[in-house]
Short mmCIF file of all heavy atoms in Angstrom, two decimals:
data_model
loop_
_atom_site.label_atom_id
_atom_site.label_comp_id
_atom_site.label_asym_id
_atom_site.label_seq_id
_atom_site.Cartn_x
_atom_site.Cartn_y
_atom_site.Cartn_z
N ALA P 1 -8.56 35.58 -13.99
CA ALA P 1 -9.35 36.32 -13.00
C ALA P 1 -10.39 35.40 -12.36
O ALA P 1 -11.07 34.63 -13.05
CB ALA P 1 -10.05 37.51 -13.65
N ILE P 2 -10.49 35.46 -11.04
CA ILE P 2 -11.50 34.70 -10.28
C ILE P 2 -12.64 35.65 -9.96
O ILE P 2 -12.46 36.61 -9.22
CB ILE P 2 -10.91 34.11 -8.99
CG1 ILE P 2 -9.59 33.38 -9.27
CG2 ILE P 2 -11.93 33.18 -8.33
CD1 ILE P 2 -9.72 32.18 -10.16
N ILE P 3 -13.81 35.40 -10.53
CA ILE P 3 -14.96 36.30 -10.43
C ILE P 3 -16.11 35.59 -9.74
O ILE P 3 -16.32 34.38 -9.92
CB ILE P 3 -15.40 36.77 -11.84
CG1 ILE P 3 -14.23 37.45 -12.59
CG2 ILE P 3 -16.59 37.72 -11.75
CD1 ILE P 3 -13.78 38.75 -11.99
N GLY P 4 -16.89 36.34 -8.97
CA GLY P 4 -18.08 35.76 -8.35
C GLY P 4 -18.63 36.67 -7.28
O GLY P 4 -17.99 37.66 -6.89
N ARG P 5 -19.82 36.36 -6.80
CA ARG P 5 -20.41 37.16 -5.73
C ARG P 5 -19.72 36.83 -4.40
O ARG P 5 -18.89 35.91 -4.33
CB ARG P 5 -21.92 36.90 -5.64
CG ARG P 5 -22.30 35.46 -5.33
CD ARG P 5 -23.82 35.29 -5.31
NE ARG P 5 -24.20 33.89 -5.10
CZ ARG P 5 -24.26 33.28 -3.92
NH1 ARG P 5 -23.93 33.95 -2.82
NH2 ARG P 5 -24.63 32.02 -3.83
N PRO P 6 -20.02 37.54 -3.31
CA PRO P 6 -19.34 37.29 -2.03
C PRO P 6 -19.62 35.88 -1.48
O PRO P 6 -20.70 35.32 -1.67
CB PRO P 6 -19.93 38.37 -1.10
CG PRO P 6 -20.41 39.45 -2.01
CD PRO P 6 -20.89 38.75 -3.24
N ASN P 7 -18.61 35.34 -0.81
CA ASN P 7 -18.74 34.09 -0.04
C ASN P 7 -19.12 32.86 -0.85
O ASN P 7 -19.82 31.98 -0.35
CB ASN P 7 -19.74 34.28 1.11
CG ASN P 7 -19.08 34.93 2.32
OD1 ASN P 7 -18.04 35.57 2.20
ND2 ASN P 7 -19.68 34.75 3.48
N VAL P 8 -18.63 32.78 -2.09
CA VAL P 8 -18.84 31.55 -2.86
C VAL P 8 -17.59 30.67 -2.82
O VAL P 8 -17.60 29.56 -3.37
CB VAL P 8 -19.22 31.86 -4.33
CG1 VAL P 8 -20.58 32.52 -4.41
CG2 VAL P 8 -18.14 32.69 -5.01
N GLY P 9 -16.52 31.16 -2.16
CA GLY P 9 -15.31 30.36 -2.02
C GLY P 9 -14.21 30.71 -3.02
O GLY P 9 -13.36 29.86 -3.33
N LYS P 10 -14.20 31.96 -3.49
CA LYS P 10 -13.18 32.36 -4.47
C LYS P 10 -11.77 32.26 -3.89
O LYS P 10 -10.85 31.73 -4.52
CB LYS P 10 -13.44 33.79 -4.96
CG LYS P 10 -14.76 33.96 -5.70
CD LYS P 10 -14.93 35.34 -6.26
CE LYS P 10 -14.98 36.41 -5.20
NZ LYS P 10 -16.10 36.24 -4.26
N SER P 11 -11.57 32.79 -2.68
CA SER P 11 -10.24 32.77 -2.07
C SER P 11 -9.80 31.35 -1.75
O SER P 11 -8.61 31.01 -1.88
CB SER P 11 -10.22 33.63 -0.80
OG SER P 11 -10.45 34.98 -1.10
N THR P 12 -10.73 30.49 -1.35
CA THR P 12 -10.39 29.08 -1.10
C THR P 12 -9.94 28.41 -2.40
O THR P 12 -8.98 27.63 -2.41
CB THR P 12 -11.61 28.34 -0.52
OG1 THR P 12 -12.06 29.01 0.66
CG2 THR P 12 -11.25 26.90 -0.16
N LEU P 13 -10.62 28.74 -3.50
CA LEU P 13 -10.22 28.19 -4.80
C LEU P 13 -8.84 28.71 -5.21
O LEU P 13 -8.02 27.94 -5.74
CB LEU P 13 -11.26 28.55 -5.86
CG LEU P 13 -10.99 27.99 -7.27
CD1 LEU P 13 -10.99 26.46 -7.25
CD2 LEU P 13 -12.01 28.53 -8.27
N VAL P 14 -8.57 29.98 -4.96
CA VAL P 14 -7.25 30.54 -5.27
C VAL P 14 -6.17 29.78 -4.50
O VAL P 14 -5.13 29.41 -5.06
CB VAL P 14 -7.20 32.04 -4.92
CG1 VAL P 14 -5.75 32.55 -4.93
CG2 VAL P 14 -8.03 32.84 -5.91
N ASN P 15 -6.40 29.56 -3.22
CA ASN P 15 -5.43 28.81 -2.41
C ASN P 15 -5.24 27.39 -2.95
O ASN P 15 -4.12 26.86 -2.93
CB ASN P 15 -5.89 28.74 -0.95
CG ASN P 15 -5.72 30.07 -0.24
OD1 ASN P 15 -4.95 30.92 -0.66
ND2 ASN P 15 -6.46 30.26 0.84
N ARG P 16 -6.31 26.79 -3.43
CA ARG P 16 -6.20 25.44 -3.99
C ARG P 16 -5.39 25.46 -5.29
O ARG P 16 -4.49 24.63 -5.49
CB ARG P 16 -7.61 24.88 -4.26
CG ARG P 16 -7.66 23.56 -5.01
CD ARG P 16 -7.02 22.43 -4.24
NE ARG P 16 -7.65 22.23 -2.94
CZ ARG P 16 -7.26 21.33 -2.05
NH1 ARG P 16 -6.21 20.55 -2.33
NH2 ARG P 16 -7.86 21.21 -0.89
N LEU P 17 -5.66 26.41 -6.17
CA LEU P 17 -4.97 26.45 -7.46
C LEU P 17 -3.51 26.85 -7.29
O LEU P 17 -2.64 26.37 -8.02
CB LEU P 17 -5.67 27.44 -8.41
CG LEU P 17 -7.13 27.12 -8.75
CD1 LEU P 17 -7.67 28.14 -9.73
CD2 LEU P 17 -7.26 25.71 -9.32
N ALA P 18 -3.23 27.74 -6.32
CA ALA P 18 -1.86 28.19 -6.09
C ALA P 18 -1.12 27.29 -5.12
O ALA P 18 0.05 27.56 -4.80
CB ALA P 18 -1.87 29.64 -5.56
N GLU P 19 -1.79 26.26 -4.62
CA GLU P 19 -1.19 25.30 -3.69
C GLU P 19 -0.57 25.99 -2.48
O GLU P 19 0.56 25.73 -2.10
CB GLU P 19 -0.15 24.44 -4.41
CG GLU P 19 -0.74 23.58 -5.50
CD GLU P 19 0.26 22.62 -6.10
OE1 GLU P 19 1.47 22.76 -5.82
OE2 GLU P 19 -0.16 21.74 -6.87
N GLY P 20 -1.31 26.89 -1.91
CA GLY P 20 -0.83 27.59 -0.73
C GLY P 20 -2.00 28.15 0.04
O GLY P 20 -3.16 27.92 -0.30
N ARG P 21 -1.71 28.90 1.11
CA ARG P 21 -2.76 29.51 1.91
C ARG P 21 -2.50 31.01 2.03
O ARG P 21 -2.54 31.60 3.09
CB ARG P 21 -2.83 28.87 3.30
CG ARG P 21 -3.14 27.40 3.26
CD ARG P 21 -3.36 26.83 4.63
NE ARG P 21 -4.52 27.44 5.29
CZ ARG P 21 -4.90 27.15 6.53
NH1 ARG P 21 -4.21 26.29 7.24
NH2 ARG P 21 -5.95 27.74 7.06
N ASP P 22 -2.20 31.63 0.86
CA ASP P 22 -1.85 33.04 0.86
C ASP P 22 -3.08 33.94 0.88
O ASP P 22 -3.05 35.02 1.44
CB ASP P 22 -1.00 33.38 -0.37
CG ASP P 22 0.39 32.78 -0.27
OD1 ASP P 22 0.88 32.64 0.87
OD2 ASP P 22 0.98 32.43 -1.31
N ALA P 23 -4.15 33.52 0.22
CA ALA P 23 -5.36 34.35 0.21
C ALA P 23 -6.07 34.21 1.55
O ALA P 23 -6.20 33.11 2.09
CB ALA P 23 -6.28 33.93 -0.94
N ILE P 24 -6.56 35.33 2.08
CA ILE P 24 -7.24 35.31 3.37
C ILE P 24 -8.64 34.73 3.20
O ILE P 24 -9.42 35.19 2.37
CB ILE P 24 -7.34 36.74 3.95
CG1 ILE P 24 -5.93 37.28 4.22
CG2 ILE P 24 -8.16 36.75 5.23
CD1 ILE P 24 -5.93 38.72 4.69
N VAL P 25 -8.94 33.70 3.99
CA VAL P 25 -10.26 33.07 3.97
C VAL P 25 -10.89 33.25 5.33
O VAL P 25 -10.33 32.85 6.34
CB VAL P 25 -10.14 31.56 3.64
CG1 VAL P 25 -11.51 30.92 3.65
CG2 VAL P 25 -9.47 31.36 2.29
N HIS P 26 -12.05 33.90 5.37
CA HIS P 26 -12.71 34.17 6.65
C HIS P 26 -14.20 34.24 6.39
O HIS P 26 -14.65 34.73 5.35
CB HIS P 26 -12.21 35.50 7.21
CG HIS P 26 -12.58 35.72 8.65
ND1 HIS P 26 -12.06 34.97 9.69
CD2 HIS P 26 -13.41 36.63 9.23
CE1 HIS P 26 -12.54 35.41 10.85
NE2 HIS P 26 -13.37 36.40 10.58
N ASP P 27 -14.99 33.76 7.32
CA ASP P 27 -16.45 33.70 7.16
C ASP P 27 -17.05 35.08 7.40
O ASP P 27 -17.73 35.32 8.39
CB ASP P 27 -17.04 32.67 8.12
CG ASP P 27 -18.51 32.42 7.84
OD1 ASP P 27 -18.96 32.79 6.74
OD2 ASP P 27 -19.19 31.86 8.71
N GLU P 28 -16.81 35.96 6.45
CA GLU P 28 -17.32 37.33 6.56
C GLU P 28 -17.32 37.95 5.17
O GLU P 28 -16.31 37.92 4.47
CB GLU P 28 -16.41 38.15 7.48
CG GLU P 28 -16.77 39.63 7.57
CD GLU P 28 -15.74 40.40 8.37
OE1 GLU P 28 -15.21 39.84 9.35
OE2 GLU P 28 -15.47 41.56 8.01
N PRO P 29 -18.45 38.49 4.69
CA PRO P 29 -18.47 39.10 3.37
C PRO P 29 -17.51 40.29 3.29
O PRO P 29 -17.34 41.03 4.25
CB PRO P 29 -19.93 39.57 3.21
CG PRO P 29 -20.71 38.77 4.21
CD PRO P 29 -19.77 38.53 5.35
N GLY P 30 -16.90 40.47 2.12
CA GLY P 30 -16.06 41.65 1.90
C GLY P 30 -14.65 41.53 2.44
O GLY P 30 -13.94 42.52 2.53
N VAL P 31 -14.21 40.30 2.80
CA VAL P 31 -12.84 40.14 3.30
C VAL P 31 -11.84 40.50 2.21
O VAL P 31 -10.88 41.21 2.42
CB VAL P 31 -12.61 38.71 3.81
CG1 VAL P 31 -11.13 38.47 4.09
CG2 VAL P 31 -13.41 38.49 5.09
N THR P 32 -12.07 39.96 0.98
CA THR P 32 -11.22 40.32 -0.15
C THR P 32 -11.78 41.59 -0.78
O THR P 32 -12.94 41.64 -1.17
CB THR P 32 -11.19 39.19 -1.20
OG1 THR P 32 -10.73 38.00 -0.57
CG2 THR P 32 -10.26 39.54 -2.34
N ARG P 33 -10.92 42.63 -0.89
CA ARG P 33 -11.37 43.90 -1.44
C ARG P 33 -10.59 44.27 -2.70
O ARG P 33 -11.15 44.61 -3.71
CB ARG P 33 -11.23 45.01 -0.39
CG ARG P 33 -12.19 44.80 0.78
CD ARG P 33 -11.96 45.82 1.88
NE ARG P 33 -12.94 45.69 2.94
CZ ARG P 33 -12.91 46.39 4.07
NH1 ARG P 33 -11.95 47.24 4.31
NH2 ARG P 33 -13.86 46.21 4.98
N ASP P 34 -9.26 44.25 -2.61
CA ASP P 34 -8.43 44.53 -3.76
C ASP P 34 -8.26 43.26 -4.58
O ASP P 34 -8.74 42.19 -4.22
CB ASP P 34 -7.06 45.04 -3.30
CG ASP P 34 -7.17 46.32 -2.49
OD1 ASP P 34 -7.49 47.35 -3.10
OD2 ASP P 34 -6.95 46.27 -1.28
N ARG P 35 -7.55 43.37 -5.69
CA ARG P 35 -7.23 42.17 -6.44
C ARG P 35 -5.84 41.69 -6.04
O ARG P 35 -4.89 42.46 -6.02
CB ARG P 35 -7.32 42.39 -7.95
CG ARG P 35 -6.96 43.74 -8.47
CD ARG P 35 -7.33 43.86 -9.95
NE ARG P 35 -6.26 44.43 -10.73
CZ ARG P 35 -6.04 45.72 -10.84
NH1 ARG P 35 -6.81 46.57 -10.19
NH2 ARG P 35 -5.04 46.18 -11.58
N THR P 36 -5.74 40.42 -5.70
CA THR P 36 -4.50 39.85 -5.22
C THR P 36 -4.05 38.75 -6.17
O THR P 36 -4.85 37.93 -6.62
CB THR P 36 -4.66 39.27 -3.80
OG1 THR P 36 -5.68 38.27 -3.82
CG2 THR P 36 -5.08 40.36 -2.83
N TYR P 37 -2.76 38.74 -6.47
CA TYR P 37 -2.20 37.85 -7.49
C TYR P 37 -1.43 36.71 -6.84
O TYR P 37 -0.63 36.94 -5.92
CB TYR P 37 -1.26 38.63 -8.42
CG TYR P 37 -1.95 39.66 -9.28
CD1 TYR P 37 -2.61 40.75 -8.72
CD2 TYR P 37 -1.94 39.55 -10.66
CE1 TYR P 37 -3.24 41.70 -9.51
CE2 TYR P 37 -2.57 40.51 -11.46
CZ TYR P 37 -3.21 41.58 -10.88
OH TYR P 37 -3.83 42.52 -11.66
N ARG P 38 -1.60 35.48 -7.34
CA ARG P 38 -0.88 34.32 -6.85
C ARG P 38 -0.37 33.50 -8.05
O ARG P 38 -1.11 33.30 -9.03
CB ARG P 38 -1.78 33.42 -5.99
CG ARG P 38 -2.42 34.13 -4.81
CD ARG P 38 -1.44 34.36 -3.68
NE ARG P 38 -2.08 35.05 -2.58
CZ ARG P 38 -1.96 36.34 -2.32
NH1 ARG P 38 -1.17 37.08 -3.07
NH2 ARG P 38 -2.57 36.89 -1.29
#
């Protein structure tokens, strides 16, 4: 599980660990809402 407050780069880290760009990364709080698996 990737845990943290908004906009610390969780989705960017997910993309790095999963070696892809599947998680949506956007400069806006609350972009990720559900839990997404990679």
Side-chain angles (χ1 to χ4, degrees):
I2 311 296
I3 303 294
R5 61 182 176 82
N7 277 21
V8 293
K10 296 185 298 299
S11 295
T12 304
L13 182 62
V14 167
N15 287 339
R16 172 64 58 182
L17 300 182
E19 296 186 349
R21 299 187 63 183
D22 290 330
I24 297 175
V25 179
H26 193 68
D27 189 16
E28 175 186 324
V31 170
T32 302
R33 293 174 175 175
D34 299 289
R35 33 190 227 277
T36 59
Y37 293 63
R38 304 283 180 258

